[in-house]
Amino acid sequence: MTVKLDSKIPGGPLAEKWDAHRFEMKLVNPANKRKYHVIVVGSGLAGAAAAASMSELGYNVSCFAYQDSPRRAHSIAAQGGINAAKNYRNDGDSIRRLFYDTIKGGDFRAREANVYRLAQISVDIIDQCVAQGVPFAREYGGLLANRSFGGAQVSRTFYARGQTGQQLLLGAYQALEKEIAHGSVTMYSRHEMLDLVTIDGVARGIITRDMVSGKIEAHVADAVVLGTGGYGNVFYLSTNAKGCNVTATWRAHKKGAAFANPCYTQIHPTCIPQSGDHQSKLTLMSESLRNDGRVWVPKRREDCGKHPSEIAEDDRDYYLERKYPSFGNLSPRDIASRAAKEACDDGRGVGPGGRGVYLDFADAIKRLGKAAIEERYGNLFEMYERITAEDPYTVPMRIYPASHYSMGGLWVDYNLMSNVQGLHVIGEANFSDHGANRLGASALMQGLGDGYYVIPNTIGHYLASNKLGKVTADHPEFRAAIEQVEGRQRRLLGIKGKRTPDSFHKELGKIMWEKCGMARNAKGLNEALQEIPALREEFWQNVTVPGSGEELNQSLEKAGRVADFLEFGELLVTDALHREESCGGHFREEHQTEDGEAKRNDEQFAYVAAWEYAGEGKSPILNKEPLVFENVHLATRSYK
């Protein structure tokens, strides 16, 4: 059955849609809110903000995290900042400019209404976080400081040195812990969601595994909210924490939730290059470094083996400044990443394997002094030196692009509800705000915006609009879901093959990166669609999972997640093959301009590709939500 994609975008002028919609939405009487139970899966910025806010409103909330503490959510790894259209610098910023920059940065592949709402509530997010005590950097006079980020010509990024995500997460965590202490949030740490339970097509709960005891548990609710992050680890090597996975959203997809634009993956240009085959993770260097660092490679291939200090200024190619003079080193991530790959493919890369470019702070240190650079980026420089044993104050950093963020995710309407009634999806887990490429410092903005401001409003509208019958964990659908989860677990434990889950994950990641990474073409994608099913078949015949399911068993956890990646990876490649255009992070080599830039096809592909699960062994079904642009003019992206 083809899913129905009703975006529920309100009518009226763009700037008035959200306020008008909030007035028109149904409300739950404060005294009645305590009668409703909401499940929030994930405790990062989106999940913690949502759980705390809904609890503050009076709902009973259960929050689930596979970490031992909400403080360990991957949101902590975000470094550079959070955007807001406050125009503190008086440099021409506005809500409309943030809206336009985000739409343009996403290569015109996002909904206008959702993006404008995000720009609107951005100004409130900063006030909320300051009130929580988040220690944003400040100017000498005491006002909050701003810096620039890629894809914008104004300074709108608020930051706390190079640890903005950590500080924002601490603020959301404190709000969450207050509600836990109050008794209106029940926190389930070390619990992993393994299935969504629907009754008559309506989400009514989840199945989890207690990762310490191994117990499979059913949890019933009136609504389910997923804030489980992205799927970047499908590439194995990424900037994501090793535990980040696609399992929650993928299991929801197999229960009917459409998966939108999975081929839209972000490659971050500023990461420490891979050091060898032994490596299991890559390290992000904040995009904020490109405010003061200059990116370059040698002009001549024969100079690549030299120490950077031995290469004269005239022999250096500051290629971003050369190719994109208007934005220079602050070009958007997708463009900067492809430019780095192009330079390295030309044989002018530096470091081991020629897979690196320089990020040089010599000019900034000379202009501002070492103390100023240390104040802005000291912890990032320290991290780089610990990993590489090189001092970035005296030697340029070496960076190279890596898998980072997922713009695709479960399809949601304007209310952040999926096509499965009662299943809401927030933050990076949904597809809604970034189109084909996310601008830097917008992830934290979306996560907190969804959690603090959007879902607390729209969840009430859903609950007030639907009469939900009483359901218990004894319902046949819950029992069937538990049996399915337990059966899958027994199957994994019973294979007793010869290869570890990590070995399969690593092989999948290599296929994905080489055939569906920074650049894609029909030949490679078709090859991947042959290789991934073969690898998945071998997995189910030859994976080894020692131990049992009745204890802490990290091999079992990994095996389940890799099994999901092996299914999801095929959908990602299928989406990339079907989209015969280049846009943002999706770069099809067959579709590029004469000067190597992405070439969109607005006539045929100006839509959201929402894929429906058709059953095991069957091809997914493509559903399309047309993108209508009434407030911006579709144009070729240019940062020159």
Side-chain angles (χ1 to χ4, degrees):
M1 183 180 71
T2 302
V3 302
K4 182 181 179 182
L5 302 178
D6 180 3
S7 61
K8 295 185 173 66
I9 297 173
L14 183 65
E16 298 174 14
K17 288 182 185 294
W18 177 232
D19 287 339
H21 187 57
R22 282 193 297 168
F23 175 73
E24 293 165 358
M25 284 192 292
K26 294 183 179 180
L27 301 175
V28 178
N29 184 305
N32 289 335
K33 286 176 181 173
R34 67 176 71 99
K35 299 177 182 178
Y36 290 105
H37 182 199
V38 180
I39 282 175
V40 177
V41 186
S43 61
L45 285 180
S53 298
M54 288 188 289
S55 174
E56 286 267 12
L57 289 172
Y59 298 107
N60 291 298
V61 179
S62 293
C63 185
F64 294 81
Y66 63 72
Q67 304 282 12
D68 57 355
S69 165
R71 286 183 60 180
R72 292 177 62 84
H74 186 60
S75 301
I76 202 170
Q79 298 167 341
I82 176 171
N83 287 330
K86 280 187 169 292
N87 195 30
Y88 279 8
R89 288 289 186 90
N90 198 29
D91 56 1
D93 200 11
S94 64
I95 288 172
R96 183 151 187 110
R97 189 176 295 279
L98 174 54
F99 156 71
Y100 180 76
D101 286 347
T102 306
I103 286 281
K104 176 184 175 183
D107 219 347
F108 302 91
R109 288 294 177 262
R111 282 195 204 125
E112 284 187 338
N114 287 67
V115 176
Y116 194 90
R117 175 177 65 188
L118 179 64
Q120 280 180 297
I121 62 181
S122 71
V123 298
D124 297 323
I125 294 169
I126 301 302
D127 295 340
Q128 164 93 353
C129 295
V130 169
Q132 290 176 332
V134 174
F136 287 118
R138 294 180 180 269
E139 303 286 6
Y140 178 77
L143 295 176
L144 298 183
N146 290 124
R147 57 189 176 197
S148 301
F149 254 65
Q153 291 182 306
V154 296
S155 295
R156 63 163 67 103
T157 304
F158 296 78
Y159 62 97
R161 295 187 76 193
Q163 51 183 249
T164 313
Q166 177 179 352
Q167 298 301 329
L168 291 171
L169 185 61
L170 286 172
Y173 169 72
Q174 290 173 132
L176 176 61
E177 284 297 312
K178 179 176 74 70
E179 294 305 301
I180 293 171
H182 185 261
S184 50
V185 173
T186 302
M187 188 71 215
Y188 292 87
S189 297
R190 304 296 286 160
H191 280 67
E192 182 169 27
M193 173 182 160
L194 294 181
D195 210 351
L196 174 74
V197 180
T198 61
I199 297 175
D200 297 328
V202 179
R204 292 306 305 267
I206 62 173
I207 306 300
T208 64
R209 178 176 182 269
D210 183 323
M211 296 163 65
V212 177
S213 70
K215 185 179 179 182
I216 305 299
E217 302 169 340
H219 300 272
V220 183
D222 298 299
V224 177
V225 180
L226 299 185
T228 54
Y231 48 81
N233 273 348
V234 70
F235 293 96
Y236 185 70
L237 286 178
S238 82
T239 65
N240 290 191
K242 283 295 290 177
C244 294
N245 61 81
V246 76
T247 290
T249 50
W250 185 250
R251 303 286 174 91
H253 171 63
K254 294 178 78 170
K255 284 297 181 74
F259 214 114
N261 300 335
C263 77
Y264 290 164
T265 58
Q266 180 164 81
I267 310 299
H268 198 294
T270 316
C271 303
I272 298 178
Q274 182 181 356
S275 59
D277 289 337
H278 65 282
Q279 201 163 345
S280 62
K281 186 190 179 305
L282 296 174
T283 302
L284 174 70
M285 288 282 102
S286 171
E287 182 180 310
S288 64
L289 293 168
R290 291 197 281 148
N291 271 287
D292 291 302
R294 301 179 69 192
V295 179
W296 64 276
V297 292
K299 288 181 178 178
R300 299 191 300 262
R301 295 170 187 165
E302 54 266 31
D303 288 344
C304 291
K306 294 181 179 179
H307 190 278
S309 63
E310 298 175 353
I311 302 174
E313 187 72 16
D314 290 344
D315 295 328
R316 302 178 179 188
D317 180 12
Y318 295 92
Y319 57 86
L320 289 177
E321 298 172 32
R322 170 175 57 82
K323 294 180 70 173
Y324 309 103
S326 293
F327 284 75
N329 296 299
L330 287 173
S331 299
R333 291 175 176 179
D334 58 324
I335 288 173
S337 293
R338 284 197 294 273
K341 181 180 185 296
E342 182 182 285
C344 293
D345 289 349
D346 189 41
R348 295 184 294 132
V350 298
R355 289 290 159 187
V357 300
Y358 287 127
L359 182 61
D360 196 337
F361 290 86
D363 286 355
I365 291 173
K366 184 178 180 180
R367 183 179 71 254
L368 302 170
K370 180 182 176 181
I373 299 301
E374 188 172 9
E375 181 181 357
R376 294 178 185 179
Y377 315 112
N379 61 313
L380 296 171
F381 277 45
E382 180 183 353
M383 182 169 67
Y384 180 87
E385 185 172 8
R386 286 187 178 185
I387 293 171
T388 65
E390 297 176 0
D391 179 8
Y393 291 105
T394 58
V395 179
M397 287 184 180
R398 285 178 294 106
I399 58 169
Y400 192 69
S403 170
H404 179 58
Y405 187 88
S406 308
M407 281 81 68
L410 292 185
W411 183 90
V412 292
D413 61 20
Y414 188 73
N415 294 327
L416 303 185
M417 187 166 73
S418 74
N419 58 288
V420 174
Q421 291 295 298
L423 176 65
H424 300 74
V425 192
I426 58 178
E428 190 180 359
N430 74 34
F431 87 102
S432 66
D433 291 350
H434 307 298
N437 173 64
R438 177 176 68 79
L439 292 184
S442 288
L444 305 182
M445 176 175 62
Q446 186 207 352
L448 291 179
D450 286 357
Y452 282 138
Y453 293 98
V454 182
I455 200 67
N457 283 283
T458 60
I459 201 89
H461 176 67
Y462 167 73
L463 294 171
S465 302
N466 294 274
K467 291 185 178 180
L468 301 169
K470 184 174 175 58
V471 171
T472 69
D474 291 328
H475 191 282
E477 291 292 349
F478 277 91
R479 292 203 302 268
I482 288 177
E483 289 173 7
Q484 185 178 25
V485 167
E486 290 177 339
R488 181 184 177 92
Q489 183 172 284
R490 285 193 299 270
R491 185 182 176 193
L492 286 168
L493 290 164
I495 296 171
K496 300 190 183 305
K498 296 181 179 179
R499 292 185 60 180
T500 65
D502 276 339
S503 73
F504 283 102
H505 193 182
K506 190 173 184 179
E507 186 172 345
L508 171 66
K510 186 175 182 181
I511 294 170
M512 297 298 298
W513 182 252
E514 292 181 354
K515 307 291 174 68
C516 197
M518 267 192 284
R520 301 138 184 213
N521 57 56
K523 178 177 180 294
L525 293 170
N526 279 305
E527 289 172 354
L529 288 176
Q530 298 296 317
E531 295 168 7
I532 294 172
L535 183 63
R536 186 168 64 243
E537 184 177 351
E538 183 188 353
F539 172 89
W540 284 107
Q541 295 175 353
N542 199 27
V543 73
T544 179
V545 183
S548 76
E550 299 173 357
E551 60 185 347
L552 176 64
N553 189 338
Q554 291 185 313
S555 291
L556 180 60
E557 296 164 21
K558 289 178 182 178
R561 295 167 188 171
V562 173
D564 292 327
F565 275 135
L566 284 164
E567 294 180 2
F568 169 72
E570 186 173 356
L571 179 64
L572 194 159
V573 174
T574 299
D575 188 40
L577 182 62
H578 117 273
R579 190 168 281 278
E580 291 280 357
E581 66 168 350
S582 290
C583 54
H586 170 65
F587 189 75
R588 284 287 297 270
E589 292 176 342
E590 305 94 328
H591 305 289
Q592 55 181 298
T593 62
E594 292 182 0
D595 54 354
E597 302 294 344
K599 187 176 182 180
R600 289 198 327 267
N601 183 344
D602 293 330
E603 289 187 9
Q604 293 182 289
F605 291 97
Y607 59 76
V608 177
W611 296 90
E612 177 185 354
Y613 181 70
E616 185 129 9
K618 297 181 180 179
S619 298
I621 300 168
L622 174 62
N623 300 275
K624 302 176 182 179
E625 180 202 335
L627 290 169
V628 179
F629 295 94
E630 300 174 337
N631 298 274
V632 297
H633 175 66
L634 279 169
T636 300
R637 275 169 96 205
S638 176
Y639 294 93
K640 294 185 176 180

